[in-house]
Amino acid sequence: MDMKRTVKKANDAAARRLYAPYAEAEWGFLNHWYPARFSQEVPEGGAIGVQICGVPIVLRRSRGKVYALKDQCLHRGVKLSAKPMCLTEDTITCWYHGFTFSIETGELVSIVAAPDDEIIGTTGIPTFPVEEVNGIVFVFVRSEDWDEDVPPLAQDLPIRFPDNNERFPHPFWPDTPSMLDKDAVALGVHRTGYANWRLACENGFDAGHLLIHKDCTIVQAKDWAVPLGIKPLTDQATQLIEDEDGPKGFINMYFTENYEPVLVNERLGVKASGTVPKYFRTSMFLPGVLMVENWPEEGVVQYEWYVPITDDTYEYWEVLVKRCPTEEDVKGFEYRFKNFYEPMALHGFNDCDLFARDAMQNFYADGTGWTDEQLGDMDYSIITWRKVASRYNRGIAAKPRGVAGVVKGASNVLAEIRGPAAGSYRKTKGE
Amino acid sequence: MMNAEVEEMEDTAVCEVDVRSVTVRFSDGVEHAFPVRPDQTILAAAKEHDVRLVHQCLTGSCGTCVTRVASGKVRMSTARGTSLLPSEAAEGFRLTCTSFCDSDAVLQFDYPSSVLDEPGPARCTAEVADAAWVASNVVRLTLRLPKDAGLEFRSGQYVRVQVPGTEEWRSYSMASTVADLPELVLLLRVLDAGVMSDYLRSRARAGDLIELEGPFGMFYLREAKGQHIMIAGGTGLAPMLGMLEDIRMRAGRKPKVLLSFGCASEDNLFYVDELDVRAAWLPGLKVKVAVANPGEAYRGLVGNPVEVISAADISDPATAVAYLCGPPPMIESARAHLERLGVLPENIHAEHFSASAA
Ligand SMILES: Cc1cc2nc3c(=O)[nH]c(=O)nc-3n(C[C@H](O)[C@H](O)[C@H](O)COP(=O)(O)OP(=O)(O)OC[C@H]3O[C@@H](n4cnc5c(N)ncnc54)[C@H](O)[C@@H]3O)c2cc1C
Ligand code: FES
């Protein structure tokens, strides 16, 4: 029997067409705010390179303020961050031939070895708006044709509470904190995942994936009654968030009549074992930021970003936020973060997610998965996310040119995998 | 609006054998002045003095060479048929390939001079990948271009294709965008009788080879902060589809777009699902679909795509930019209707699907 022909697919050709723009967005969405580095990773006077949506970006802190410029010298294209050279407080200099750029405007203001060159003052490199909030440096990764005001960071962060209490009631936990709250403290980690950023996004709110967390230490240790899966029952299960000047995304209405937790599978003899109810809720916003409310514990919220680096790598950010009005609260949160949340939640629990995303990559890398995957009812929220992202993204990043990750298996990439031992001259390369 | 002196269109001989000075002004402010002899069309004089102007057919039928008279007396030849509508002539539009100067004149062109530096039309042999009926009288023709075709175009422009097995060339607007190359999609209305129509009805097959030349035309998306209004009659939808993609791919907040699409009868309707998809992709897009002569069971809007637009559909007429495409009478009524609703004449752009030149 040809199985495929008789099976009902939630993502038939018509549904796929509706999210075609998302399927195009292999390199991510431009003109959004992304976390680039934690503040402490960008020390005064230094410069550090990141890549977001295929755009190389150098972050430079000077007199306390962080500036972001395109990390590609206009002369021979090397990364300024490969060997940072900062000769004055208001510039960054390319270590190779000395092209020197204003960190404020990106203008070429001098060339070390050719101070009278005619091109000085006539050209430059792009700059990017920066916001530093609660220990995280956010960059607005704009395309070169962006000519409008930059939208506020809040439009690219999850919705806030108590503002949304009436709309999205949460009877089981106190008001969820926000990055932007007064007294909020954000603590977290980031690391690179080896999959397309969209696979990572879709893992976080996937209502059927709780199975991979069943055996996690934290679940067992705390005896949490985490279901095997959560099944949507009505079309109200996911609700769209698309206010004109607000964040765009959707929320999964877990623990309401719209969802049914799956606690047992008789046929397979598997059941959720915990006895302590564990209430939480996931919501997802452009450009790809997940909010898990009431997680890992009461009064704490987990944010996750899946920031595209290339079309097959992403930076996975896990950030916990808590309101800490007193010094003592801050200390307590830091202590618990270091000794509990970081090892058992951000690593123990979420390492399973990283594993799952990497495991999907081969199926999707050449496009196969996007047409051959077989989504069902439990994937309703995935299709919702794809449609929302198709509709509200501020621009699809084209495949970039001349940057890391475009040419697969290039000799320098292979050398990097082999590590610094590949050539002793590489040792000077930062880190 | 414009202080153009609109002259009666007579073909009387010019008595004073006077050379006139014509100034052409592009939308980017670039100007050129050159002399025009009384026996010379403006386009011919421009050519003689190395001033480049966009044109294609040279016979007054394609409408590509259109200009608006800002001042002066400019007379269109009556010796030739013209695709210019009487209402357009009354507003000061002229086709430079068939116009003569009776006084010094200033002509305003609706495109920047930089357009003239873009690569000119390319010619290639394309292959028919698919010919599919999408309505009772509409065929979607998917062409596959050779790798080295060198065809670059703006969404909204058109190509000319040679009807296979004939010497006849016909013009069609691209429904696809450069991102879709080497595939090129055209939407063709099939008439009861006609060279291309007969080919589509009886002979068109995947694998057919078809000569193609383009792009042509000055119908494309304008930089605008205001609302875009698109009015499409039948296959006049084709260029709008490409322009909607341009809007989607542009960086930044998406502008408001109103697309009004109309067909004569329900079985002439096509791409209704596709327009739903486009509306899902573009938060600012509002689509109106109207049928002029529907059957009993029809539940949608009744009328032509012009009359179903009301003042409430236009958020700010002073900043709106309109694009009209379809049969000439529709364009004529759309222009009048939009002007009545306050859209500025210089913000109304049209592509006529005029009948092929004899
Ligand atoms: C710039 C431009 C772009 C165009 N883009 C498109 C397009 O995207 N899609 C599309 O379907 N058409 C388009 N047209 C019209 C197209 O070029 C042809 O005129 C049309 O397809 C008829 O061709 P035919 O060979 O079938 O008929 P012909 O052999 O040219 O004509 C047969 C008979 O039909 C009459 N006739 C011709 N054209 C029309 C017409 N449009 N309406 C009513 N009667 C007509 C003629 O007067 C003649 O009596 C465009 C025209 C122009 C000038
Ligand atoms: S468990 Fe998800 S694909 Fe197999």
Side-chain angles (χ1 to χ4, degrees), chain B residues 104-167:
Chain B
D104 290 353
V106 177
L107 308 179
Q108 178 73 47
F109 290 82
D110 191 20
Y111 52 88
S113 60
S114 54
V115 161
L116 301 161
D117 298 323
E118 291 177 7
R123 192 166 164 169
C124 66
T125 307
E127 188 187 324
V128 175
D130 182 47
W133 289 87
V134 293
S136 62
N137 67 339
V138 180
V139 166
R140 181 189 60 220
L141 196 63
T142 307
L143 303 177
R144 193 166 302 122
L145 270 49
K147 271 205 186 67
D148 56 355
L151 183 80
E152 294 225 352
F153 62 91
R154 296 166 182 241
S155 299
Q157 287 191 297
Y158 68 93
V159 287
R160 301 177 68 230
V161 299
Q162 188 177 19
V163 185
T166 75
E167 291 301 310

Side-chain angles (χ1 to χ4, degrees), chain A residues 398-428:
Chain A
K399 180 176 176 177
R401 301 172 65 224
V403 303
V406 175
V407 178
K408 309 292 177 197
S411 59
N412 59 339
V413 176
L414 299 174
E416 221 153 84
I417 292 166
R418 282 179 58 199
S424 58
Y425 64 89
R426 297 178 65 83
K427 261 191 267 172
T428 49

Side-chain angles (χ1 to χ4, degrees), chain A residues 127-260:
Chain A
T127 59
F128 305 93
V130 174
E131 286 248 19
E132 201 170 359
V133 180
N134 247 315
I136 300 181
V137 177
F138 289 91
V139 175
F140 185 74
V141 184
R142 63 180 161 199
S143 51
E144 283 176 29
D145 61 345
W146 176 271
D147 62 353
E148 300 178 27
D149 297 344
V150 174
L153 172 62
Q155 279 189 22
D156 286 346
L157 288 177
I159 53 168
R160 298 175 63 177
F161 296 88
D163 308 3
N164 281 284
N165 278 352
E166 268 176 44
R167 204 165 155 203
F168 305 116
H170 48 87
F172 302 113
W173 59 82
D175 289 351
T176 302
S178 157
M179 275 294 292
L180 301 173
D181 287 348
K182 191 170 162 285
D183 301 329
V185 173
L187 300 171
V189 297
H190 65 82
R191 48 201 156 140
T192 302
Y194 298 89
N196 184 266
W197 69 280
R198 292 165 298 181
L199 302 177
C201 281
E202 293 177 0
N203 151 268
F205 56 79
D206 170 354
H209 90 292
L210 288 175
L211 175 62
I212 66 174
H213 296 302
K214 184 177 169 303
D215 305 328
C216 287
T217 323
I218 191 172
V219 175
Q220 294 302 321
K222 299 209 69 160
D223 195 25
W224 281 343
V226 174
L228 301 174
I230 309 180
K231 195 177 147 211
L233 298 176
T234 72
D235 61 358
Q236 299 296 301
T238 56
Q239 294 195 11
L240 293 183
I241 299 169
E242 40 187 358
D243 304 333
E244 176 102 22
D245 289 317
K248 305 292 193 293
F250 72 92
I251 185 163
N252 273 324
M253 299 302 283
Y254 292 167
F255 305 104
T256 64
E257 65 284 1
N258 303 301
Y259 268 105
E260 177 183 64

Side-chain angles (χ1 to χ4, degrees), chain B residues 61-62 158 163 170-174 187-189 191 193-198 235-236 238-239 327 351-356:
Chain B
S61 66
C62 79
Y158 68 93
V163 185
R170 297 288 182 264
S171 303
Y172 298 98
S173 306
M174 265 79 74
L187 292 169
L188 302 89
R189 174 174 165 208
L191 305 169
V195 179
M196 179 56 99
S197 301
D198 293 345
T235 48
E351 185 81 295
H352 309 177
F353 282 3
S354 40
S356 338

Side-chain angles (χ1 to χ4, degrees), chain B residues 149-319:
Chain B
L151 183 80
E152 294 225 352
F153 62 91
R154 296 166 182 241
S155 299
Q157 287 191 297
Y158 68 93
V159 287
R160 301 177 68 230
V161 299
Q162 188 177 19
V163 185
T166 75
E167 291 301 310
E168 298 294 320
W169 289 77
R170 297 288 182 264
S171 303
Y172 298 98
S173 306
M174 265 79 74
S176 54
T177 70
V178 279
D180 302 312
L181 289 173
E183 232 175 56
L184 193 81
V185 178
L186 308 174
L187 292 169
L188 302 89
R189 174 174 165 208
V190 181
L191 305 169
D192 290 340
V195 179
M196 179 56 99
S197 301
D198 293 345
Y199 162 74
L200 292 172
R201 213 183 350 256
S202 51
R203 311 195 302 280
R205 295 281 174 277
D208 286 359
L209 296 182
I210 212 163
E211 282 296 299
L212 179 147
E213 188 186 24
F216 299 104
M218 284 300 128
F219 193 64
Y220 56 81
L221 201 72
R222 311 292 155 147
E223 292 297 329
K225 290 282 173 217
Q227 183 183 18
H228 296 271
I229 302 170
M230 302 178 169
I231 307 184
T235 48
L237 183 63
M240 312 304 186
L241 294 168
M243 292 196 285
L244 286 177
E245 277 295 88
D246 282 8
I247 292 175
R248 179 172 76 82
M249 296 308 290
R250 250 185 213 182
R253 284 176 202 88
K254 307 297 184 237
K256 280 210 169 78
V257 185
L258 170 69
L259 168 63
S260 186
F261 170 49
C263 289
S265 64
E266 284 157 88
D267 66 348
N268 288 352
L269 270 185
F270 59 98
Y271 271 44
V272 176
D273 293 347
E274 177 63 17
L275 294 179
D276 284 345
V277 167
R278 300 304 180 95
W281 292 353
L282 264 184
L285 172 61
K286 178 167 159 193
V287 177
K288 289 195 157 186
V289 177
V291 172
N293 309 299
E296 294 274 309
Y298 178 76
R299 290 276 161 276
L301 279 176
V302 177
N304 67 49
V306 177
E307 66 198 15
V308 299
I309 295 181
S310 66
D313 293 318
I314 302 179
S315 40
D316 175 22
T319 59

